């Protein structure tokens, strides 16, 4: 570690921390605590979904047939790819490569935008079909129970998309800071913390995809 890099880390040290290492550990611990609260948040939705899924298994299976599995698979691959590019952004920060940080984060945002675009197309399709809870005109013997499925579908995927949009907004800020040379191999905590957040968002989708698209598939 060069003196210049060490000095950069020390300059980032806030007065209420004794050492850069303590500051780093506190920041990452804080993110893990935040992610635990997010797990509890999404856990409530997953629990509600599973309870209704068990109670109205046939109706939920019929409702899931309206989802486009091809687009769901495509989006899953896109999001897994974005996790890889985000990991490469963190690796670039560790290697003290500011331009590479910006490149990989930009690629992550492009993949995230593709995911959201596909999801927007799916939402539009459901609106046209009358499957949006606020625009519900779908007719079927079990339509009321299928409406519960789509209420949960839009709530869960909508909150997931909101988390992605917030994450991409933070990525813009991190990219600007990277262009200004704010991150070095001795201090890249924001990039690493952002990586944890993005991997969590991807993980939520890994659970959403089979629950919404695949269970009950014939």
């Amino acid at each position: 570690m060069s003196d210049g890099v060490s000095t950069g880390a020390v300059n980032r040290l806030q007065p209420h921390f004794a050492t850069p290492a303590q500051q780093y550990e506190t920041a990452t611990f804080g993110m893990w605590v935040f992610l635990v609260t997010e797990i509890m948040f999404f856990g409530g939705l997953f629990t509600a979904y599973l309870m209704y899924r068990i109670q109205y298994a046939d109706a939920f299976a019929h409702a899931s047939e309206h989802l486009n599995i091809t687009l769901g698979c495509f989006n899953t691959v896109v999001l897994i790819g974005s996790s890889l590019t985000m990991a490469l952004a963190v690796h670039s920060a560790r290697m003290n490569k500011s331009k590479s940080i910006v490149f990989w984060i930009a690629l992550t945002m492009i993949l995230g935008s593709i995911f959201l675009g596909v999801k927007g197309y799916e939402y539009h399709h459901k609106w046209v079909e009358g499957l949006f809870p606020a625009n519900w005109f779908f007719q079927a013997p079990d339509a009321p129970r299928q409406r519960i499925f789509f209420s949960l579908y839009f709530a869960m995927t909508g909150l997931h998309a909101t988390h992605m949009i917030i994450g991409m907004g933070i990525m813009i800020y991190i990219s600007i800071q990277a262009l200004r040379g704010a991150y070095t191999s001795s201090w890249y905590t924001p990039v690493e913390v952002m990586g944890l957040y993005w991997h969590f968002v991807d993980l939520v989708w890994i659970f959403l995809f089979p629950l919404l698209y695949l269970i009950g598939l014939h």
Side-chain angles (χ1 to χ4, degrees), residues 16-102:
H16 45 286
F17 294 108
T19 65
Q22 185 190 48
Q23 182 172 270
Y24 166 79
E25 291 169 1
T26 303
T28 52
F29 178 73
M31 174 51 75
W32 279 112
V33 171
F34 170 74
L35 293 181
V36 168
T37 65
E38 289 287 283
I39 291 172
M40 295 169 66
F41 175 71
F42 277 99
L45 289 171
F46 278 114
T47 301
Y49 175 86
L50 291 173
M51 295 295 289
Y52 279 113
R53 180 102 209 182
I54 293 171
Q55 190 171 359
Y56 304 126
D58 290 339
F60 271 46
H62 294 158
S64 64
E65 291 174 358
H66 294 279
L67 302 182
N68 191 318
I69 295 176
T70 302
L71 292 180
C73 289
F74 175 78
N75 257 355
T76 301
V77 173
V78 167
L79 216 51
I80 290 174
S82 75
S83 256
L84 174 62
T85 55
M86 190 66 227
L88 290 171
V90 175
H91 177 72
S92 297
R94 194 174 292 128
M95 295 294 105
N96 205 17
K97 297 178 179 178
S98 296
K99 290 183 179 178
S100 292
I101 297 173
V102 177

Side-chain angles (χ1 to χ4, degrees), residues 77-169:
V77 173
V78 167
L79 216 51
I80 290 174
S82 75
S83 256
L84 174 62
T85 55
M86 190 66 227
L88 290 171
V90 175
H91 177 72
S92 297
R94 194 174 292 128
M95 295 294 105
N96 205 17
K97 297 178 179 178
S98 296
K99 290 183 179 178
S100 292
I101 297 173
V102 177
F103 172 78
W104 290 118
I105 285 182
L107 199 53
T108 303
M109 294 177 64
I110 290 172
L111 292 172
S113 298
I114 292 173
F115 178 95
L116 293 175
V118 171
K119 185 50 66 182
Y121 172 80
E122 287 190 277
Y123 280 7
H124 172 73
H125 190 64
K126 299 298 169 291
W127 177 275
V128 172
E129 285 187 314
L131 296 171
F132 197 82
N135 184 42
W136 185 269
F137 54 81
F138 177 71
Q139 298 295 325
D142 57 356
R145 292 183 287 278
Q146 290 197 44
R147 190 173 185 175
I148 297 174
F149 171 89
F150 280 103
S151 295
L152 289 167
Y153 166 80
F154 283 109
M156 297 168 84
T157 58
L159 286 169
H160 176 258
T162 301
H163 278 71
M164 288 187 66
I165 293 170
I166 292 172
M168 291 166 68

